[in-house]
Amino acid sequence: MSRIFSGVQPSGNLHLGNYLGAIRNFVGLQDDYECIYCAVDMHAITVWQEPEQLRKNIREVASAYLAAGVDPKKSIIFAQSSVHAHAELAWIFNCVARIGWLNRMTQFKEKAGKNRENASLGLYAYPSLMAADILTYKATHVPVGEDQKQHLELTRDIAQKFNNDYETDLFPLVEPIIMGEATRVMSLRDGSKKMSKSDPSDYSRIVLTDGKDDIARKLKKARTDADPLPEKVEGLEERPEAANLVGIYAALAGMTKAEVLQEYSGAQFSTFKPALTDLAVEKFGPVGEEMKRLMADPGYVDSVLKDGAVRAAEIANPIVREVKETVGFLLP
Ligand code: AMP
Ligand code: TRP
């Protein structure tokens, strides 16, 4: 059987990249798969989070899932820390994963920066917890943005080594689902950098709760080059900022980049940016509005998370038991 798992960190500033690269894709999968969507709060604290803000941010992630169209009756929405199987399996995976594998993780290198000695141990072990998130449900498919590909390869390596070492076929080898025209949305200020929650500039990203004026202001200021849009996708190759805006347009409109260029080839950014603004307000605006409405009703969001945690644990606990038995722990 196929099962979907994905997670988003509640570290604030949920942005267009999170939406187009991940959250929006969660919705369509609900018809064909059993889906489990998580606010990965234990991942968030690998870098410092203010406790009060973290609580808000967990509800923000849950609200974003709901506002995007994840149906809490069909799918499971919950917070990672409320199902203890994640932490238990992560420890076992810490003993399966090799230090050499983790040393290759580019996200750790980026996040730890120059002062690696001062990064938390949790930040280093992050991918092993991510493998536990997925495999504690024996999930087979994981919808994510492109930046998570390496972590999913590591998840496969951990599953494979566990299966080999313990001579079992307990864990499936997960497949990433990286879909759409915006699997890697870039910063609006710098086409060589990924749009991210932690960029110090608010102008680098459109956040889910931005209103019409914010979206218009940020897109107006978005960096571009001086040329009109090309006729063909190949014409975007050396133009990262133009490629990014065309990709965002395509993803929002449900078109390919080639189709967008057919419509806008030869157009200046003074024409294209207002068109993109209108489209973003149309497609993105209602999600932000619904999110704000839900965040004003924490009682409802908390009840969704509570119900989700019970249902998630029902799936995870027997699998962790099976893992413990395989490893040789005594089961009470
Ligand atoms: P994070 O913000 O790291 O918790 O990411 C949550 C989800 O959003 C993951 O599936 C990421 O791959 C995806 N994501 C984050 N940033 C981007 C981006 N700039 N473009 C596309 N997807 C992204
Ligand atoms: N590492 C992911 C990110 O930063 C978040 C995440 C944690 C995740 N656990 C996961 C994504 C399991 C998919 C599946 O984007």
Side-chain angles (χ1 to χ4, degrees), residues 210-326:
D210 272 345
K212 188 175 179 200
D213 293 346
D214 301 308
I215 297 176
R217 204 156 26 89
K218 289 178 180 178
L219 284 175
K220 202 166 173 191
K221 270 207 154 195
R223 185 158 141 192
T224 51
D225 52 41
D227 295 336
L229 286 175
E231 260 173 51
K232 295 241 152 55
V233 177
E234 297 79 62
L236 292 170
E237 258 161 34
E238 300 293 317
R239 302 177 62 189
E241 284 87 10
N244 190 36
L245 294 185
V246 170
I248 292 172
Y249 191 105
L252 286 169
M255 296 161 80
T256 62
K257 288 196 196 84
E259 285 165 346
V260 176
L261 291 180
Q262 252 169 35
E263 210 172 309
Y264 285 98
S265 84
Q268 299 290 341
F269 285 104
S270 55
T271 310
F272 186 65
K273 279 182 171 180
L276 177 56
T277 303
D278 289 345
L279 182 68
V281 170
E282 180 196 327
K283 302 281 180 187
F284 200 59
V287 180
E289 285 307 312
E290 176 63 5
M291 223 175 115
K292 281 187 234 171
R293 196 188 66 74
L294 287 163
M295 271 153 46
D297 187 2
Y300 172 68
V301 175
D302 288 1
S303 72
V304 168
L305 288 169
K306 197 170 164 189
D307 172 64
V310 173
R311 288 156 62 204
E314 274 168 15
I315 304 172
N317 290 346
I319 293 174
V320 171
R321 230 181 128 76
E322 202 185 344
V323 177
K324 286 179 166 176
E325 187 168 31
T326 304

Side-chain angles (χ1 to χ4, degrees), residues 6-11 14-23 26 40 107 111 126 143-148 182-186 194-197:
S6 195
V8 173
Q9 297 186 68
S11 38
L14 286 181
H15 54 70
L16 192 58
N18 297 133
Y19 182 66
L20 295 177
I23 298 171
F26 296 176
V40 288
Q107 183 171 302
K111 282 201 174 179
Y126 179 115
V144 279
E146 218 174 84
D147 61 344
Q148 295 304 310
T183 56
R184 186 176 176 82
V185 177
M186 307 310 280
K194 188 173 77 167
M195 185 177 283
S196 103
K197 291 167 175 166

Side-chain angles (χ1 to χ4, degrees), residues 43-56:
H43 276 110
I45 62 162
T46 56
V47 298
W48 172 250
Q49 306 291 328
E50 285 297 334
E52 253 338 289
Q53 195 57 44
L54 179 60
R55 262 186 281 278
K56 281 198 188 113

Side-chain angles (χ1 to χ4, degrees), residues 72-88:
K73 293 206 182 67
K74 263 194 214 159
S75 303
I76 294 176
I77 296 176
F78 76 109
Q80 185 185 33
S81 61
S82 59
V83 177
H84 51 72
H86 294 247
E88 283 188 86

